[in-house]
Amino acid sequence: MLDLKLVERDFDSVKVKLAKKGVDEALLNRLNSLFAQLKEAKRAFEEKRSQQKSLSKMFGAYKAEGKDVGELKEQLDSLKSEIVSLEESAQRVEQQLQELALTIPNIPDDGVPEGESEDDNVELKRVLTPKEFPFEPKEHWELAQINGWIDFERGVKLAKSRFALLMSEAAKLERALINFFLDFNVQKGFAEVCPPVLSNSKMLLGTGQLPKFEDDLFKIEGEDLYLIPTAEVPLTNIYNDEILQESQLPQLLTAYTPCFRKEAGSAGRDTRGIIRQHQFDKVEMVAITHPEKSDEVFEMMVQNASDILSALGLPHRLVDLCGGDLGFSAARTIDLEVWLPGQNRYREISSVSNMRDFQARRAKIRFKDGKKNSFVHTLNGSALAVGRTLIAIMENYQNEDGAIDIPEVLKPYMNRRV
């Protein structure tokens, strides 16, 4: 959640910054109007409370002196009723303000590029040179058919569209990638966690999936539980409504989980293959850190994801997301896009984001900063999306006959000789 005191104090500046994310001006004006209403409601309440205190004092004095207090009592009774009404009015406005604030995205960092869509994102650098094939490289769904790696039809039969079965070597490679990613992250200093894949609404509110993105979530009927869209949700919320000691920071966490998304806003996109699925595997990195260290941790996390791709021999590039393509909770995001020769283009395989104190305010994650409590900064990123890494290996390590080689670093995980 935004720092509402900052928004109220510096409304015009915040409005300009949020325009970079394409936030509706009318929404922000509504927020500003609620600030004014709440201020007036509190002023009226305090004014009546002040009158009540003066009359109560007078009432006591009159009673001690034996004077008639009938008229004063009527005034006090009337004031009491007015005060209750004004207090309820102020509470309603404050609730409206809080509910509206939960739908407003994080303020982008000053250095975030201007732009409206992914077309305006800024490439930062490329890592490794794509291989030149002496033949026309195939896309992953063609390779899947040749090798019997992915059964699309039976995946749909078992569930519905955007589900698939990984078979034989593909299933084994998926498991190898998960273990490789976790080991890599642990060696970097991340603590491995095995969290629940169900979270309640309070946790999803804390990380920003609720209330805005409820249509993208799979809800358990009759329960206050949802299938997680990413391990960011349970990992970040481990310290929900807790106060950490400064010495405990940073908390670096990693986890493998299946992830579940309805992909409500992606109708017609990537319908072939397994680029965009309702269920997919991902290894996540989460950091909970001191605000002064969050930029340093952010760079480390981006480099870690890049190093994993390099270890796999996968060409990729780093892209700085523009304001219009920035996620709801993010202040800054760098995407890592892997080269897919079958598609002859780079595709997103990881997003590393610094949320600043946006999630920490929602989830009430604080640390003891001297004598006061301050909000931590939270960060998250994929290291990596497993299915998309599988696709990248299939396309980058394919042979002319459709056979697929295995990257050297993964052979021990697949019980093969290096």
Side-chain angles (χ1 to χ4, degrees), residues 66 94 207 229 352 387:
E94 188 159 21
T207 42
V352 181

Side-chain angles (χ1 to χ4, degrees), residues 30-220:
R30 169 65 178 154
L31 187 71
N32 203 29
S33 173
L34 287 170
F35 281 135
Q37 290 179 44
L38 182 59
K39 187 176 182 179
E40 174 57 26
K42 286 182 175 179
R43 186 205 61 77
F45 172 76
E46 292 300 332
E47 184 179 290
K48 293 297 181 182
R49 281 287 303 273
S50 179
Q51 290 180 24
Q52 184 187 45
K53 287 179 182 178
S54 296
L55 286 177
S56 294
K57 190 175 180 180
M58 190 182 296
F59 182 89
Y62 274 29
K63 200 166 185 182
E65 295 171 8
K67 293 182 179 179
D68 182 12
V69 294
E71 186 176 343
L72 277 176
K73 187 176 184 305
E74 288 181 9
Q75 291 180 41
L76 281 168
D77 288 344
S78 177
L79 270 174
K80 184 178 180 181
S81 178
E82 286 184 65
I83 288 169
V84 169
S85 178
L86 286 169
E87 186 175 27
E88 290 174 349
S89 177
Q91 289 172 348
R92 282 195 300 271
V93 175
E94 188 159 21
Q95 184 177 351
Q96 291 173 30
L97 182 63
Q98 293 291 329
E99 288 175 354
L100 184 61
L102 287 172
T103 69
I104 297 174
N106 198 3
I107 299 169
D109 286 353
D110 291 339
V112 168
E114 297 281 353
E116 297 180 0
S117 70
E118 62 183 21
D119 296 331
D120 301 310
N121 294 339
V122 176
E123 182 179 304
L124 299 175
K125 69 173 181 178
R126 297 190 180 194
V127 181
L128 303 182
T129 302
K131 175 183 175 182
E132 291 188 13
F133 288 87
F135 56 89
E136 185 70 26
K138 299 176 179 62
E139 298 201 46
H140 75 277
W141 53 78
E142 299 173 270
L143 295 165
Q145 186 173 18
I146 292 169
N147 292 278
W149 276 23
I150 307 174
D151 192 329
F152 298 104
E153 291 76 15
R154 289 190 176 94
V156 173
K157 180 180 75 172
L158 290 171
K160 66 174 191 175
S161 61
R162 294 191 190 268
F163 287 89
L165 280 171
L166 297 184
M167 307 295 293
S168 186
E169 286 290 285
K172 196 172 183 180
L173 182 55
E174 180 98 346
R175 177 161 50 89
L177 284 167
I178 291 166
N179 288 328
F180 173 65
F181 293 165
L182 287 171
D183 287 349
F184 202 101
N185 290 344
V186 167
Q187 289 171 12
K188 192 72 174 184
F190 290 84
E192 186 176 346
V193 181
C194 184
V197 297
L198 293 169
S199 281
N200 59 47
S201 58
K202 182 181 178 182
M203 302 303 107
L204 288 153
L205 183 75
T207 42
Q209 282 77 21
L210 289 178
K212 191 171 178 63
F213 301 105
E214 185 164 13
D215 288 346
D216 263 335
L217 301 172
F218 285 99
K219 189 177 190 308
I220 307 303

Side-chain angles (χ1 to χ4, degrees), residues 193-389:
V193 181
C194 184
V197 297
L198 293 169
S199 281
N200 59 47
S201 58
K202 182 181 178 182
M203 302 303 107
L204 288 153
L205 183 75
T207 42
Q209 282 77 21
L210 289 178
K212 191 171 178 63
F213 301 105
E214 185 164 13
D215 288 346
D216 263 335
L217 301 172
F218 285 99
K219 189 177 190 308
I220 307 303
E221 187 175 355
E223 298 279 353
D224 180 30
L225 289 171
Y226 298 78
L227 289 167
I228 60 169
T230 165
E232 167 200 343
V233 178
L235 291 183
T236 304
N237 280 295
I238 287 173
Y239 299 105
N240 188 296
D241 201 11
E242 292 188 23
I243 301 171
L244 297 166
Q245 295 300 315
E246 189 173 359
S247 60
Q248 293 178 272
L249 302 177
Q251 290 285 319
L252 303 178
L253 308 167
T254 188
Y256 151 69
T257 63
C259 305
F260 306 87
R261 297 179 190 174
K262 287 185 178 179
E263 297 288 356
S266 63
R269 295 177 61 192
D270 298 310
T271 53
R272 295 196 70 180
I274 59 170
I275 283 281
R276 198 177 297 275
Q277 296 280 279
H278 290 308
Q279 177 183 333
F280 56 97
D281 291 333
K282 187 153 65 79
V283 172
E284 190 77 358
M285 301 178 288
V286 161
I288 297 170
T289 185
H290 192 291
E292 293 178 3
K293 297 290 185 180
S294 70
D295 287 327
E296 178 184 325
V297 173
F298 177 70
E299 296 299 332
M300 178 275 288
M301 291 171 67
V302 172
Q303 188 61 52
N304 190 57
S306 178
D307 288 345
I308 294 175
L309 288 167
S310 294
L312 291 167
L314 295 173
H316 57 282
R317 67 176 185 170
L318 276 60
V319 177
D320 203 356
L321 265 57
C322 70
D325 200 30
L326 208 56
F328 179 81
S329 298
R332 189 187 178 200
T333 297
I334 289 180
D335 272 6
L336 287 88
E337 298 180 348
V338 69
W339 176 251
L340 297 183
Q343 295 190 25
N344 194 36
R345 60 181 290 201
Y346 287 96
R347 296 300 302 264
E348 178 200 336
I349 196 167
S350 173
S351 284
V352 181
S353 299
N354 192 336
M355 310 304 195
R356 304 296 179 188
D357 63 4
F358 185 81
Q359 291 180 327
R361 287 181 181 278
R362 298 169 73 106
K364 298 180 182 177
I365 307 171
R366 295 142 291 167
F367 73 101
K368 186 68 69 175
D369 186 10
K371 293 184 178 180
K372 69 180 190 300
N373 297 329
S374 299
F375 289 107
V376 300
H377 279 192
T378 64
L379 304 93
N380 64 74
S382 308
L384 295 162
V386 184
R388 293 195 179 193
T389 309

